Amino acid sequence: MVPEIIDLEDLWRRCGGQPLAIVTMAGLVACNLNQPISYWEELGKLLPAREISNTRGAPNQVNSLTLDGVKRILDCCYNDLPGDVKTCLLYLGMFPKGCKISRKCVTRRWIAEGFVSRRHGLMEEEVAETYFNQLLRRKLIRPVDHSSNGRLKTFQAHDMVLDYIASKASEENFITVVGGHWMMPAPSGKVRRLSMQSTSRPKAAAGDYSTTRGMNLSQVRSLAAFGSLAQLPFQAFNNRIMQVLDFQGLKGFKNRHMKHICEMLVLKYLSLRGTDITEIPSRIGKLEYLETLDIRETDVVELPKDVKQLKRISSILGGNKHKNPRKGLRLPQEKSRKKKRRRTTDDDGMMKALRILSGIEINENTDVSGLHQLTELKKLTVYMLNVLDEYRADIFEQLLSSIEYLCSCGLQTLAINDEDSKFTQSLDKMSAAPRYLVALELSGKLVKPPEWIDKLLTLNKLTLSITILRTPTFEKLRSLPLLYSLTFSFSAVKQDQQDDIKEILEENKSTTDGEIFVPKGFQNLKLLRFFAPHIPKLGFSDNAMPVLETIEARFKAFEGLFGVDTLENLKGVHLREAKVGENGKEIADINEILVHDLKDSTEGLKAIVDHTFITY
């Protein structure tokens, strides 16, 4: 409840009807409801004066706020932030105007920069999340995209907020930006954090860094480069103090540049995501302070053995999930499995601090027994199991043992893409349910979910192969108390795979009179998704999912959703149909009829049904 001492109408008038000013002021009020009256009196002295127009017929019309007035309001919001959060806000000036910023990316960089430290028993990642949430609550940043678990994925800051941040950062010599849309004056002193952005001048050549001439770059500790840049002034940097390098999506970054990076001995954060790099040199092992290595969506297929020397590494992000089939990142390989492998000891330098290991491939040369030592691991995603038949029994037994042990140590996210080997069927052999799991993804031709799946009381996000889309599966899942999103998928590429999927789904339907039935339950589920070439007929019992808000489906053939008119909180049904050739015209016509019927059945609801075509 807003205290009576806060005159909200007066605050609104001081904002001059400017949406940005109103929103940020609302965030300031929401975060200070318990402040004494003296706080609000002082705030009132700092805000723009209330101006009311005397225009005939509109005696209470508020005059538009000047730019100086907006700046004064932003000053109030900025000055009200705790010191550490101010620093984190200023850091957003490193990103180009209009850029969608990854929440995880920016919080990892805050940690690497030293803006965040452990406090009150919280890890750095948890403290960074509280800082981020403060900025979000104060409306200084706005959400853009959310993950399927409901968590914010990307965000943006209003252009006027970014202009304000850039001005503040320049005044304090906190950030220096060259190129791009900012109009920052040249720094008067040493450059500490440098953001290099492709120039917007139409005749400028890629890699034009004339704006860095005359700058003292010897104290740069953080560098981010955006766009298409042909050159980087590595020789001007002091390798002994560089801590953050972010080259995500940078065109023109090649393997030869790694020679310079491997000399930056105190580097903590390195992102090469989406660059043209194809290998990581063994000298990466010299970066003993490295905490984050992001090589997703590159052509790097294997890590060198020296990566095990990275004692402080907490996140290794690799692989390419956007390719079909997915491409995984191989861990350091053993020379031969036929030779007797010596027992792994603490002296082997395994990455004991590792918390995230994402996008890996496991093959017959992978030392999966070493996973036992990663006791701090919170997230493990396996993009590919590529093991020859003669090695499967041995490797899969060790892998299962490792996963069970890691789950007992606190593993929270587990994802396994198993299109061929049927390893996921063996998860039933685990002696206890992985009680700490928050997210679980099991892909491939599953026959049924693990028996322990209904005991995952902390599970928030679940992705399963569509091959187990059956009524008994829904019955087993409906009692999960925290389940927020549920996805059934299969990314079949070849026609014979698609035919197999259709046959499996037909068999699944045959056990329940030709229709997969969704029983009542799912008290917390808000997102239901189906991504597969063929989606069978599904029927919902009366308000089966009482808080469900969104249904998403991507398909070639669709048999219809029935009973959705009983889903009281449904807000949207988003259907994406793959275009098919002339031979598929009959299927397309049937799809269109079923979609039309679905629209008719949801007319009385708030739900919006949209149907578009995609390239599948």
Side-chain angles (χ1 to χ4, degrees):
M1 181 180 294
V2 180
E4 294 181 3
I5 59 172
I6 305 177
D7 187 341
L8 293 180
E9 185 175 347
D10 178 62
L11 290 179
W12 176 78
R13 293 188 186 284
R14 288 171 184 260
C15 292
Q18 221 278 358
L20 173 64
I22 293 172
V23 168
T24 52
M25 182 56 64
L28 177 64
V29 171
C31 293
N32 288 282
L33 295 180
N34 296 322
Q35 293 287 356
I37 190 170
S38 58
Y39 172 88
W40 301 104
E41 290 173 346
E42 290 300 316
L43 179 65
K45 296 176 185 178
L46 299 173
L47 292 173
R50 182 177 65 179
E51 298 180 14
I52 303 178
S53 171
N54 293 319
T55 305
R56 174 178 288 183
N60 293 320
Q61 182 176 338
V62 179
N63 284 343
S64 297
L65 200 63
T66 64
L67 287 177
D68 180 66
V70 174
K71 181 181 180 299
R72 290 178 67 180
I73 288 177
L74 290 176
D75 270 333
C76 291
C77 297
Y78 174 77
N79 291 329
D80 188 65
L81 292 171
D84 290 345
V85 183
K86 282 182 184 176
T87 303
C88 292
L89 177 65
L90 289 183
Y91 195 72
L92 301 185
M94 292 285 286
F95 296 89
K97 187 176 287 189
C99 173
K100 288 201 298 186
I101 307 170
S102 162
R103 174 183 60 84
K104 290 183 179 179
C105 167
V106 79
T107 53
R108 287 180 182 131
R109 282 171 60 172
W110 287 346
I111 293 169
E113 291 275 5
F115 303 156
V116 179
S117 58
R118 298 187 184 191
R119 58 176 58 189
H120 307 306
L122 298 178
M123 301 289 290
E124 289 92 339
E125 295 87 349
E126 295 168 319
V127 176
E129 284 293 320
T130 65
Y131 290 174
F132 183 86
N133 289 335
Q134 284 196 54
L135 296 179
L136 193 63
R137 189 182 178 200
R138 290 171 180 268
K139 312 300 181 183
L140 292 169
I141 57 177
R142 63 181 183 85
V144 177
D145 299 315
H146 288 80
S147 299
S148 58
N149 61 0
R151 297 195 67 187
L152 185 62
K153 187 176 181 180
T154 61
F155 67 95
Q156 283 181 323
H158 191 284
D159 282 355
M160 292 182 71
V161 174
L162 280 177
D163 283 332
Y164 176 84
I165 290 171
S167 174
K168 277 283 183 185
S170 179
E171 287 175 14
E172 300 180 18
N173 196 25
F174 185 75
I175 289 173
T176 301
V177 177
V178 296
H181 296 87
W182 302 120
M183 297 295 292
M184 275 191 177
S188 56
K190 298 173 182 177
V191 178
R192 290 177 173 81
R193 295 175 187 87
L194 179 63
S195 177
M196 308 185 78
Q197 302 170 17
S198 290
T199 180
S200 56
R201 290 175 293 165
K203 293 185 179 181
D208 179 7
Y209 285 124
S210 58
T211 48
T212 63
R213 290 176 183 171
M215 289 186 185
N216 183 352
L217 302 181
S218 64
Q219 295 299 310
V220 172
R221 66 189 67 171
S222 179
L223 171 65
F226 300 89
S228 179
L229 305 172
Q231 299 176 12
L232 289 167
F234 282 113
Q235 292 80 4
F237 300 131
N238 182 348
N239 291 335
R240 293 175 296 176
I241 65 172
M242 186 70 76
Q243 295 180 333
V244 174
L245 288 178
D246 193 339
F247 296 147
Q248 178 174 337
L250 184 66
K251 303 303 179 187
F253 188 89
K254 304 293 184 182
N255 290 342
R256 66 177 182 271
H257 295 119
M258 288 300 298
K259 175 182 68 174
H260 301 283
I261 291 176
C262 290
E263 299 300 322
M264 298 176 178
L265 300 182
V266 296
L267 194 66
K268 293 182 178 180
Y269 180 97
L270 175 60
S271 176
L272 304 174
R273 182 177 183 178
T275 63
D276 295 329
I277 191 170
T278 61
E279 64 178 344
I280 299 295
S282 60
R283 285 175 294 174
I284 194 79
K286 295 168 62 177
L287 308 181
E288 60 177 289
Y289 292 92
L290 191 64
E291 296 172 354
T292 297
L293 176 62
D294 188 351
I295 48 177
R296 289 172 289 182
E297 297 161 35
T298 67
D299 289 324
V300 177
V301 296
E302 184 176 333
L303 290 173
K305 188 172 294 186
D306 299 75
V307 78
K308 291 185 177 183
Q309 298 176 24
L310 302 176
K311 301 288 183 66
R312 292 177 173 83
I313 192 78
S314 63
S315 299
I316 295 179
L317 311 168
N320 193 337
K321 66 180 179 180
H322 299 298
K323 287 191 175 183
N324 204 345
R326 289 180 171 185
K327 298 294 183 182
L329 175 69
R330 294 198 296 269
L331 297 176
Q333 303 291 288
E334 296 295 319
K335 290 184 178 180
S336 174
R337 285 189 53 84
K338 294 182 180 180
K339 295 181 180 180
K340 187 175 181 180
R341 189 184 297 118
R342 66 185 178 88
R343 185 176 179 81
T344 304
T345 67
D346 289 345
D347 295 331
D348 288 337
M350 277 301 288
M351 302 162 283
K352 297 291 186 67
L354 198 62
R355 295 172 60 83
I356 298 175
L357 181 57
S358 179
I360 65 170
E361 173 187 335
I362 291 177
N363 61 25
E364 61 271 13
N365 292 318
T366 306
D367 181 13
V368 292
S369 64
L371 293 176
H372 273 90
Q373 299 189 35
L374 306 180
T375 54
E376 294 297 316
L377 206 63
K378 300 302 177 188
K379 179 176 182 179
L380 174 64
T381 65
V382 180
Y383 278 4
M384 183 181 298
L385 288 171
N386 187 17
V387 184
L388 299 176
D389 289 339
E390 60 183 298
Y391 297 120
R392 282 186 178 180
D394 179 30
I395 291 180
F396 287 174
E397 182 179 347
Q398 293 183 24
L399 179 59
L400 181 63
S401 175
S402 295
I403 289 174
E404 183 171 6
Y405 182 67
L406 293 174
C407 286
S408 71
C409 293
L411 190 70
Q412 296 177 356
T413 298
L414 175 64
I416 302 175
N417 187 45
D418 181 16
E419 301 292 347
D420 177 57
S421 70
K422 300 182 181 178
F423 166 76
T424 49
Q425 302 294 346
S426 67
L427 292 175
D428 262 340
K429 297 178 182 178
M430 290 173 59
S431 59
R435 58 177 176 163
Y436 301 107
L437 280 186
V438 174
L440 176 64
E441 177 179 338
L442 301 176
S443 303
K445 292 183 181 179
L446 281 168
V447 176
K448 62 176 183 176
E451 286 297 324
W452 41 254
I453 202 166
D454 56 346
K455 296 180 175 62
L456 303 182
L457 303 183
T458 58
L459 198 66
N460 175 265
K461 175 182 176 182
L462 177 61
T463 299
L464 296 170
S465 172
I466 202 165
T467 55
I468 57 172
L469 183 56
R470 305 164 60 212
T471 299
T473 301
F474 281 112
E475 290 174 343
K476 199 164 185 63
L477 300 177
R478 63 178 173 174
S479 61
L480 291 175
L482 300 181
L483 190 61
Y484 180 96
S485 75
L486 175 59
T487 302
F488 293 93
S489 68
F490 198 95
S491 54
V493 178
K494 300 178 181 178
Q495 185 59 47
D496 60 340
Q497 289 179 309
Q498 297 181 27
D499 293 340
D500 288 346
I501 296 300
K502 184 174 181 181
E503 185 177 331
I504 292 170
L505 290 173
E506 288 297 327
E507 184 177 343
N508 290 347
K509 286 194 307 178
S510 67
T511 61
T512 49
D513 299 325
E515 178 182 42
I516 295 171
F517 184 70
V518 182
K520 193 173 181 64
F522 303 96
Q523 294 301 310
N524 202 48
L525 192 74
K526 291 192 176 182
L527 175 63
L528 179 63
R529 306 190 300 177
F530 305 94
F531 300 149
H534 186 90
I535 298 179
K537 180 180 178 182
L538 280 98
F540 294 81
S541 65
D542 187 21
N543 203 24
M545 298 174 172
V547 299
L548 186 69
E549 295 181 353
T550 305
I551 298 175
E552 294 181 8
R554 189 167 65 230
F555 56 86
K556 285 187 177 179
F558 172 66
E559 295 185 18
L561 302 173
F562 302 92
V564 293
D565 54 310
T566 69
L567 302 176
E568 296 176 354
N569 281 286
L570 192 65
K571 296 177 182 177
V573 181
H574 307 294
L575 307 176
R576 305 289 182 266
E577 180 183 354
K579 290 184 178 181
V580 291
E582 293 183 4
N583 295 335
K585 187 177 185 306
E586 183 179 348
I587 295 176
D589 290 343
I590 295 173
N591 289 345
E592 189 63 37
I593 293 171
L594 291 169
V595 170
H596 186 270
D597 290 344
L598 180 60
K599 289 182 178 180
D600 287 344
S601 68
T602 56
E603 272 189 359
L605 296 176
K606 296 177 287 185
I608 298 174
V609 179
D610 62 75
H611 177 216
T612 58
F613 291 96
I614 60 170
T615 301
Y616 193 82

